[in-house]
Amino acid sequence: MSVAAVFPELAPYRGRTTRLHPRPGRPGRHDSHVGGSMLWPYGEPWPICREPHRRGSERAERFIADPPEVPAVLREHELPEPCVLHPEEVDTYPWAEDGTLPDSLIALIDAWDDAQVAEHGPDAPCYQYDLSIPPGWRVGGFPSWASTGPMHIGCGTCATPMQLLLTAEGSEMDGGSHSWVPLEDRDPALRGMASIRGGRSVARPTRLRFGRDRDLHVFTCPADPRHTPRWVLS
């Protein structure tokens, strides 16, 4: 479904997002990847966590000078499965809620969503999940605000509105994002989760989970990249 054909008024708000499409594999150090080994600057110490931890999590308090061979984590969803990335550029559009778009355009989108439900029932396409922002790991584009509602993200140093750099998400696809599932990963005769081919390795390739299946957004300051980035769960 073409967003421009349904909502030509959205053309000025179109953005580009690079979907990373992680897939479990054996990435080399020079490959674009999530998890696994990585190149590290010579002489720079490996980062360590100095934050206090609740009793029973002593394994997460180890001080290490070299990359750990054994994961210093307690839960599977805290360590990513090594995945190779398969980038794809797509058009995306802002989340439609509370001032992210003009009120008149949000009203138009809401009316279209209601009409789709009336015609097609609960499996009807909707703007937020089928047309605007893809699920999964992605670079640039627009943040999704399903859990929190839209938030203003300002730089803590200079108060400049920050830009989205990266979004990390536990699920690459789910029953509510049918239109974003790659053609090779879905059965066109089915809908929802039943249509996804490949099981968990396709739907949740990294195994990571952020809170209760929320998105982790990393924002940076466009005025000065040396300013501290912000991490936001939504």
Side-chain angles (χ1 to χ4, degrees):
M1 181 180 298
S2 170
V3 180
V6 178
F7 302 110
E9 299 88 348
L10 279 171
Y13 304 96
R14 181 172 57 224
R16 294 290 282 175
T17 294
T18 301
R19 301 184 70 187
L20 299 181
H21 292 305
R23 293 293 176 87
R26 296 178 177 270
R29 294 186 179 185
H30 297 277
D31 295 328
S32 295
H33 64 282
V34 173
S37 60
M38 69 176 102
L39 295 176
W40 192 257
Y42 179 78
E44 183 170 332
W46 188 259
I48 59 176
C49 179
R50 299 183 184 275
E51 295 296 319
H53 295 272
R54 64 181 180 273
R55 186 176 180 83
S57 62
E58 288 81 3
R59 283 199 299 156
E61 299 180 28
R62 294 190 315 164
F63 287 78
I64 48 179
D66 299 311
E69 295 296 330
V70 178
V73 295
L74 298 178
R75 301 173 183 87
E76 180 186 81
H77 68 263
E78 294 175 346
L79 184 73
E81 177 79 12
C83 290
V84 180
L85 304 183
H86 301 81
E88 173 198 20
E89 283 198 353
V90 297
D91 288 335
T92 56
Y93 297 85
W95 189 264
E97 184 183 1
D98 294 343
T100 57
L101 290 168
D103 290 345
S104 59
L105 187 48
I106 291 178
L108 184 65
I109 290 170
D110 289 343
W112 182 83
D113 283 346
D114 292 342
Q116 295 302 304
V117 172
E119 181 177 353
H120 302 289
D123 290 331
C126 71
Y127 172 81
Q128 302 285 47
Y129 297 104
D130 289 288
L131 303 182
S132 64
I133 302 173
W137 288 61
R138 52 196 185 272
V139 175
F142 304 101
S144 52
W145 301 112
S147 299
T148 63
M151 302 167 61
H152 171 74
I153 309 298
C155 177
T157 303
C158 66
T160 299
M162 303 188 87
Q163 293 179 343
L164 180 63
L165 172 66
L166 172 72
T167 297
E169 186 176 346
S171 296
E172 284 294 304
M173 56 195 77
D174 55 40
S177 57
H178 181 80
S179 65
W180 293 108
V181 179
L183 294 177
E184 61 269 25
D185 295 325
R186 67 183 180 187
D187 185 335
L190 301 174
R191 295 285 297 179
M193 290 297 290
S195 70
I196 299 174
R197 294 170 171 160
R200 181 178 178 181
S201 65
V202 170
R204 303 185 67 94
T206 66
R207 301 190 308 185
L208 292 176
R209 188 170 71 249
F210 305 98
R212 295 184 177 180
D213 286 330
R214 301 170 78 180
D215 294 353
L216 175 65
H217 299 303
V218 181
F219 292 87
T220 57
C221 178
D224 192 333
R226 294 171 297 182
H227 291 173
T228 304
R230 290 188 62 182
W231 304 66
V232 178
L233 282 172
S234 71

